[in-house]
Amino acid sequence: MSRSSKVVLGLSVVLTAATVAGVHLKQRQDQQRLRDGVIRDIERQSRKKENIRLLGEQILLTEQLQAEREKMVLAKGSQNT
């Protein structure tokens, strides 16, 4: 094999190895980004469920407060008569 053939072969091996390594690293980064996205989505869904639960509690408390205020208004009205 001539010297130039060896150089070309060596360069092609190095470039091929670099390409394979680059593609492998890119795939790992993409997989990690996907995992992070899934984790963020799960956390977002969890926060949404918690917010809905808290909103339901606030609605119930508001209804109770309004009912108590109405009772107080009726009680004051009956005392005034």
Side-chain angles (χ1 to χ4, degrees), residues 46-61:
S46 175
R47 283 193 308 269
K48 184 177 179 180
K49 286 179 184 178
E50 179 66 14
N51 287 341
I52 290 171
R53 185 189 66 77
L54 290 173
L55 182 60
E57 286 181 14
Q58 288 177 350
I59 289 169
L60 289 174
L61 291 172

Side-chain angles (χ1 to χ4, degrees), residues 8-80:
V8 169
L9 178 62
L11 281 174
S12 65
V13 168
V14 168
L15 289 175
T16 301
T19 302
V20 169
V23 168
H24 178 69
L25 289 174
K26 179 68 173 149
Q27 284 178 340
R28 290 185 82 183
Q29 288 175 345
D30 290 344
Q31 287 175 346
Q32 186 61 42
R33 196 172 328 133
L34 284 172
R35 282 189 196 107
D36 293 343
V38 169
I39 290 170
R40 272 195 310 274
D41 286 347
I42 291 171
E43 289 171 349
R44 189 176 301 126
Q45 288 175 356
S46 175
R47 283 193 308 269
K48 184 177 179 180
K49 286 179 184 178
E50 179 66 14
N51 287 341
I52 290 171
R53 185 189 66 77
L54 290 173
L55 182 60
E57 286 181 14
Q58 288 177 350
I59 289 169
L60 289 174
L61 291 172
T62 302
E63 290 172 353
Q64 289 174 357
L65 179 62
Q66 288 174 344
E68 287 180 23
R69 285 181 179 170
E70 287 177 16
K71 286 180 186 176
M72 290 176 68
V73 167
L74 292 175
K76 283 184 181 179
S78 65
Q79 289 176 353
N80 289 339

